[in-house]
Amino acid sequence: MRPRDRLVVGISGASAPHLAVHLLESLRRLGTVETHLVISKAANRTIELETGLPIEDVRALADHVHRRDDIAASIASGSFPVLGMVVVPCSMRTVAAIAHGYADGLLPRAADVCLKERRPLVLVARETPLSLIHLRNLVTVTEAGATVLPPMPAFYHAPQTIDDLLGHLSGKILDQFGIDHDLYPRWQGPPAAHLLHSEETA
């Protein structure tokens, strides 16, 4: 049996850890990818404050959990094959650390590994508004090979609930790694009624 592909999931201390929880829940349901999780110190606090979930419940969603200070962890080495890494949500502090190669813990080190190995690195950067420093750091990580994927809601799939919005974001993240899913309906063009109306008003 072929071993499952691996995906590294980092959770940093930005607001909206719900984004990471939904992604991990979705990956567990799919069962096609082995997840390796690392949670920053600040993320422990935001998870507690914003989700009300015990940190143990979030950790239990992953296949493997690594200590944030364990630089000897498997994901700290480029010799450990992974599909890539997503940091969700990604704080501006974490963006800055990655942009300047300041790997002061396992999360930025694992991200640095993905950049140097030319593996996909997706940063779900969450902050508003953005300062010039933030924007310059986002340009820097993009030039280095990362994908900046802000959690911007879309409405073309006619979401009815917050879970629909979270599902769309989780799906867009998984698309970056080529992971099959059915988390949101993909755009197939406008319905026939809209096409007919466009022809009538042309």
Side-chain angles (χ1 to χ4, degrees):
M1 179 188 234
R2 183 178 179 274
R4 290 187 296 167
D5 289 321
R6 305 179 181 113
L7 180 67
V8 181
V9 178
I11 307 177
S12 74
S15 183
H18 313 71
L19 306 175
V21 172
H22 190 282
L23 179 67
L24 288 167
E25 289 174 340
S26 299
L27 285 166
R28 180 164 284 281
R29 283 195 302 271
L30 288 171
T32 56
V33 175
E34 179 181 291
T35 51
H36 287 254
L37 177 65
V38 55
I39 303 173
S40 75
K41 181 177 181 180
N44 277 277
R45 187 65 170 146
T46 55
I47 288 168
E48 174 191 10
L49 290 173
E50 296 188 16
T51 71
L53 294 172
I55 191 64
E56 293 79 11
D57 288 4
V58 177
R59 292 163 60 92
L61 294 171
D63 295 301
H64 300 276
V65 180
H66 302 277
R67 295 197 324 271
R68 60 179 175 268
D69 60 348
D70 185 10
I71 297 301
S74 56
I75 60 174
S77 172
S79 66
F80 186 71
V82 297
L83 287 175
M85 178 177 183
V86 56
V87 184
V88 54
C90 187
S91 68
M92 288 302 114
R93 180 187 186 280
T94 301
V95 169
I98 295 168
H100 298 282
Y102 186 61
D104 63 339
L106 181 58
L107 195 159
R109 168 57 187 171
D112 194 54
V113 166
C114 284
L115 290 179
K116 77 182 184 71
E117 298 294 333
R118 306 298 192 268
R119 295 168 182 165
L121 172 63
V122 176
L123 306 179
V124 183
R126 209 230 62 82
E127 184 61 276
T128 190
L130 295 169
S131 74
L132 183 57
I133 292 171
H134 299 154
L135 292 168
R136 284 177 171 161
N137 284 336
L138 290 171
V139 169
T140 298
V141 294
T142 301
E143 289 175 340
T147 295
V148 177
L149 199 159
M152 296 180 179
F155 295 90
Y156 60 83
H157 60 301
Q160 301 298 308
T161 65
I162 291 177
D163 194 66
D164 290 339
L165 293 172
L166 291 173
H168 179 265
L169 179 71
S170 290
K172 295 293 285 185
I173 293 169
L174 297 186
D175 286 347
Q176 294 297 311
F177 301 97
I179 299 172
D180 290 334
H181 65 85
D182 58 358
L183 296 176
Y184 68 92
R186 298 186 183 277
W187 182 247
Q188 303 295 330
H194 287 269
L195 289 173
L196 180 61
H197 177 72
S198 297
E199 292 172 357
E200 290 174 345
T201 56

